[in-house]
Amino acid sequence: MASEKVPMLAEGHAKLNEEVKRLKTVERPAVIDAIEEARAHGDLSENAEYHAAKERQGQIEATISHIEDQLSRAMVIDPTTLSGDKVVFGATVHLVDEDDNKKVYQLVGESEADAKSGRINFNSPLARALIGRSVGDEVEVMTPAGDRYYEIEKVEFV
C-alpha cells in the first residue's frame, strides 16, 4: 500500500512543495536553535524547554517525511485535460439534493480537501458514491445524520 499513487491537482502538489520547503528552511532551523538554547540552560533531565523543542523537532521531521512520501507518489492530474459526463477525480460536480438545494463539489486529493470551499476528498463517502456516475444519475449517500439523495445535474472539468 505504501507504493500506491496519491492523486492530486497541480495546485495541491505546489502547496505541498511549498510546505516542505518552509518546514526545512524555517521551522527546522528554528527548532534547532531552540534546542541549542535549551541545552545552554544546563541539566537536560528537568529542562521542559529542551523536551518541548525535541518533541517539536520530531513532529517537524515526521511531517516532512509524510509530505515527501506523498510527493514521491504523487500523480498530478489536470482536470482541464479531462472531459465527458462521468464523475472522476478532479471533476467539479453540480448536485441537487432531495430538498432541491444545489451543491457544487470538486473531487480532490486528501491534502487539498476543504469542505467549506466545496473541495471534498475523493475517498469521502459522497465522492465515492459519485465516482463513475453520470449526469442525470441519482446517488444515495449514507451519512451519520441518515441517508441523503442527490441527482447529478452537471459535471465540469475546470
Side-chain angles (χ1 to χ4, degrees), residues 84-87 133-138 151-155:
D85 67 349
K86 278 198 183 303
V87 178
R133 302 295 186 98
S134 301
V135 172
D137 286 356
E138 290 186 6
E151 180 180 343
I152 300 173
E153 192 174 63
K154 182 176 168 186
V155 178

Side-chain angles (χ1 to χ4, degrees), residues 80-146:
T80 61
T81 64
L82 305 173
S83 62
D85 67 349
K86 278 198 183 303
V87 178
V88 296
F89 180 90
T92 299
V93 186
H94 296 255
L95 303 171
V96 179
D97 69 13
E98 63 254 40
D99 301 322
D100 284 331
N101 295 318
K102 295 178 184 267
K103 302 201 183 286
V104 179
Y105 296 109
Q106 183 178 27
L107 280 57
V108 297
E110 176 185 346
S111 63
E112 303 164 289
D114 179 12
K116 288 182 180 143
S117 65
R119 296 164 64 94
I120 60 173
N121 182 345
F122 74 101
N123 277 324
S124 69
L126 175 57
R128 284 198 318 261
L130 292 171
I131 289 176
R133 302 295 186 98
S134 301
V135 172
D137 286 356
E138 290 186 6
V139 295
E140 175 184 357
V141 182
M142 289 187 254
T143 69

